[in-house]
Amino acid sequence: MKYNEISHFSHPQHKLKFEYTEIPFKCDGCKEVGIGSCYKCATCDFDLHMHCAIPTPSIFHPFYTKCSFQFLSRAPGDSPRYCNACEKDITGFVYHCRSCGFDLHPCCAKLPMVLDDGEVKLYLYRKVSSSCHRCGRKGRSWSYRSKCKKYNLHVACVKEMLVENWHEFLGSHGKSRTSRKLEMTRIPTLRNMLQSHHHKSRGKVKKCCEMAGLAVQFVISAVLGDPTTLIAGVIGSLMSRG
């Protein structure tokens, strides 16, 4: 369900309009990074993910069959809480299970179980025994793994990569649209990052990095709240710049 204009309890002074942006934003609801479809107040520079703007009041997740997650504007209690999907802090909107105490960021709660663009197919797992393509470690957070089982990416690692590379962007949330575009070009090349994890011949490294690069693009799209091929392509072109 999508509306061109909505009223939202988190920003009662103005209505929010639906937009589709290729420029990353920081969601004022869950405080996580977003891209693509969103609701925005241009007057106040206020942005919400689709999942935060029009949330499902109560959800169930296949990884937690005995849980019922309720959408809340803030996590209950005063103790620090973290997302059970990405292991990052909960600082805003959240899906919370009162019976077990589990928490999920809205975008993490809505991560697709399968990402498939016709060339790359990735499956979401709660736990995998293989090492993450980025950090080289096992376990940790939820992961996306390729159908061939060669590429595994922690959701937590993807978020860390975004925070590391877009730190300046997040710190300049109030800057102009042009300034934000310039900051996006500072993302380092993905291939250089991935090559550090391989010790194969040059040709195999190139092919492996290209496939892993596609996997990273689609996982990033999903984590940012809009798992579409178009957004994956935008992120891929940005990451290919030196």
Side-chain angles (χ1 to χ4, degrees):
M1 182 165 48
K2 186 187 299 181
Y3 305 94
N4 289 331
E5 190 174 75
I6 64 170
S7 296
H8 200 273
F9 69 87
S10 64
H11 194 70
Q13 57 269 48
H14 300 112
K15 288 191 174 182
L16 306 179
K17 293 185 178 181
F18 174 79
E19 285 192 8
Y20 192 85
T21 176
E22 296 176 359
I23 301 174
F25 61 87
K26 182 176 181 180
C27 177
D28 290 285
C30 66
K31 313 303 181 185
E32 296 288 294
V33 183
I35 199 171
S37 301
C38 66
Y39 277 92
K40 181 180 184 66
C41 174
T43 303
C44 304
D45 195 21
F46 185 92
D47 305 275
L48 291 177
H49 287 119
M50 291 289 292
H51 300 316
C52 293
I54 310 177
T56 306
S58 179
I59 65 169
F60 295 91
H61 200 280
F63 288 167
Y64 305 102
T65 56
K66 297 181 180 180
C67 296
S68 175
F69 291 90
Q70 309 299 316
F71 180 84
L72 304 175
S73 59
R74 64 181 299 272
D78 298 322
S79 300
R81 307 189 71 88
Y82 68 93
C83 175
N84 286 87
C86 68
E87 299 186 340
K88 303 304 178 185
D89 292 339
I90 298 289
T91 57
F93 294 175
V94 62
Y95 277 102
H96 174 73
C97 177
R98 291 186 173 89
S99 62
C100 65
F102 289 161
D103 297 291
L104 296 172
H105 289 123
C107 286
C108 290
K110 299 297 182 70
L111 285 172
M113 298 303 292
V114 181
L115 295 173
D116 182 8
D117 78 320
E119 292 184 35
V120 178
K121 184 173 286 188
L122 302 163
Y123 297 87
L124 185 65
Y125 288 85
R126 185 178 176 184
K127 292 181 180 180
V128 293
S129 57
S130 55
S131 300
C132 172
H133 203 84
R134 180 174 187 259
C135 71
R137 291 181 286 172
K138 299 179 181 180
R140 213 180 176 194
S141 73
W142 292 4
S143 300
Y144 273 105
R145 187 171 69 177
S146 63
K147 186 177 181 180
C148 64
K149 300 183 180 181
K150 291 182 179 180
Y151 310 107
N152 173 49
L153 289 161
H154 290 138
V155 172
C157 286
V158 172
K159 286 200 170 187
E160 286 174 2
M161 183 169 61
L162 291 170
V163 171
E164 290 168 4
N165 294 327
W166 296 347
H167 179 72
E168 291 186 31
F169 167 80
L170 294 178
S172 60
H173 186 53
K175 286 189 178 181
S176 68
R177 192 178 184 91
T178 302
S179 296
R180 295 182 200 181
K181 282 187 176 180
L182 291 174
E183 286 173 2
M184 285 297 296
T185 63
R186 297 176 187 171
I187 296 175
T189 58
L190 180 63
R191 180 169 298 174
N192 290 340
M193 181 189 77
L194 294 173
Q195 282 182 338
S196 63
H197 298 294
H198 300 280
H199 305 282
K200 301 178 182 179
S201 66
R202 182 172 299 178
K204 290 184 178 180
V205 168
K206 181 178 179 181
K207 183 177 179 180
C208 181
C209 288
E210 287 175 352
M211 288 298 297
L214 287 172
V216 172
Q217 290 171 33
F218 286 108
V219 175
I220 287 176
S221 300
V223 168
L224 292 177
D226 200 339
T228 66
T229 303
L230 175 60
I231 288 298
V234 170
I235 293 170
S237 66
L238 289 167
M239 284 189 160
S240 65
R241 298 174 185 174

